[in-house]
Amino acid sequence: MLIALLAIAAGFALLIWGADRFVDGAAALARNLGVPPLLIGLTIVGMGTSAPELLVSGLAAAQGNPALGIGNAIGSNITNIGLVLGVTALITPLHVHSRLLRRELPLLLAAMLFGYVLLADGRLERGEGIALLLGLAAVLAWMVFSARGAGRDEPLQDALELPQTMTTLRAAVVFIIGLVVLLAGSKALVWGAVDIAQRLGVSDLVIGLTIVAIGTSLPELAASVISARRGEADIALGNVVGSNLFNVLGVLGLPGLIAPGVVPHEVLTRDYPVMLAMTLLLLVFAFSLRGGARTINRIEGGVLLALFIGYEIWIYLAP
């Protein structure tokens, strides 16, 4: 058990460090190729915070534990909204100005509904996994289009803090190092999580929804808190919305592509509805009917955090 716990801790550390190097290298490469900063922030940086989930989900499915990957995708989304945004809003109320984000939030809800329709028959087949990944490609294409059409008055333009400039050769080396470390961290994490699940007699799904989901969401928590403290609430919310889009389409799609099979019953009756409900609540909190800025205040942050804690207790008490 101790070795498994150490493997999980080492896996989390490697995933966080590797994700930073992965993003730094990829963003520098993109910038050297002339990609606009806003596009880098919305795609590469957003995808980088979901890199741990993507690799953990893919590796778990390849090793015959697709439920861990499914739990990781759904649990990470619930954690991002309840824990990450809840804690961030408690520290600093989030003032939402970005027009792009107000378009991405309904898109996130639509993507989740699309995923639920595909899973409603209780199976995640290879064709459905491909459909989810194609949905991710469509979202990325939409982000490219939106970023190119965004005006200079778009708040995300000036709020983005991209990695430092580096030569193309150094950027490529940093990118490769980050990817290798991510792979090593995901392998250690999956091995430790599966070992603990077997020793404690709990399902891979529960481990994915709790320990793995919270651990792989640590980069989002750190990035969102730092951004909010700097007064960049649009970045804090953008980290979560972008990450959740990648999770529900990419991270959830990988188990279907690699190891199609039955979706645990609890996913459809408990976990996915909770994810949908919390996303809808975030949409209500972040939107202003008058079209101006909207603040996610400390009370609303407390509500999100309380719902997350209640959900974790529900999982723990479930038979």
Side-chain angles (χ1 to χ4, degrees):
M1 179 75 80
L2 178 60
I3 295 176
L5 288 172
L6 289 175
I8 289 176
F12 284 149
L14 290 172
L15 284 172
I16 293 170
W17 191 89
D20 284 341
R21 303 292 84 74
F22 176 83
V23 169
D24 287 349
L29 280 172
R31 182 158 45 193
N32 290 350
L33 294 174
V35 178
L38 181 60
L39 182 55
I40 294 174
L42 289 175
T43 56
I44 294 175
V45 176
M47 185 170 60
T49 58
S50 288
E53 287 92 337
L54 282 165
L55 286 175
V56 168
S57 178
L59 187 61
Q63 294 182 354
N65 305 98
L68 194 152
I70 293 172
N72 184 26
I74 297 172
S76 291
N77 281 6
I78 294 171
T79 302
N80 284 345
I81 296 174
L83 179 63
V84 174
L85 283 185
V87 168
T88 304
L90 281 173
I91 295 173
T92 304
L94 303 175
H95 305 285
V96 185
H97 303 87
S98 171
R99 292 190 296 273
L100 281 177
L101 289 181
R102 290 200 292 268
R103 289 200 296 268
E104 279 189 40
L105 274 168
L107 180 62
L108 172 59
L109 186 60
M112 289 182 176
L113 290 171
F114 174 62
Y116 189 80
V117 169
L118 294 181
L119 300 182
D121 62 353
R123 296 187 61 85
L124 180 57
E125 301 292 354
R126 183 165 283 114
E128 293 166 335
I130 292 173
L132 288 169
L133 292 171
L134 288 175
L136 177 60
V139 167
L140 289 173
W142 175 82
M143 285 183 175
V144 171
F145 177 80
S146 297
R148 290 185 179 279
R152 285 301 311 168
D153 59 339
E154 166 57 47
L156 285 178
Q157 291 273 15
D158 299 319
L160 283 171
E161 184 172 332
L162 299 178
Q164 63 179 339
T165 302
M166 60 182 78
T167 65
T168 301
L169 177 60
R170 184 185 175 192
V173 171
V174 170
F175 172 79
I176 293 172
I177 290 173
L179 184 58
V180 170
V181 173
L182 276 171
L183 287 169
S186 62
K187 190 169 184 63
L189 176 58
V190 170
W191 178 84
V194 171
D195 186 76
I196 287 181
Q198 292 173 346
R199 290 177 183 272
L200 296 179
V202 299
S203 67
D204 293 340
L205 174 66
V206 170
I207 293 294
L209 286 166
T210 54
I211 297 175
V212 177
I214 293 172
T216 54
S217 291
L218 291 178
E220 285 90 344
L221 178 60
S224 296
V225 169
I226 291 171
S227 296
R229 294 287 291 177
R230 291 174 176 172
E232 298 165 351
D234 290 313
I235 295 296
L237 185 57
N239 284 334
V240 167
V241 173
S243 176
N244 282 14
L245 270 169
F246 282 112
N247 287 344
V248 76
L249 295 173
V251 179
L252 188 60
L254 279 179
L257 182 65
I258 298 172
V262 176
V263 176
H265 178 68
E266 300 91 334
V267 169
L268 298 173
T269 59
R270 179 191 62 197
D271 308 313
Y272 214 106
V274 168
M275 180 179 69
L276 280 170
M278 292 189 71
T279 303
L280 183 59
L281 186 60
L282 175 61
L283 186 68
V284 172
F285 286 168
F287 256 80
S288 169
L289 294 177
R290 291 174 292 183
R294 174 71 171 86
T295 299
I296 301 177
N297 57 44
R298 287 188 172 91
I299 294 176
E300 292 165 339
V303 169
L304 292 175
L305 182 58
L307 289 172
F308 171 75
I309 294 172
Y311 170 72
E312 295 295 311
I313 294 173
W314 185 11
I315 293 177
Y316 176 75
L317 295 178

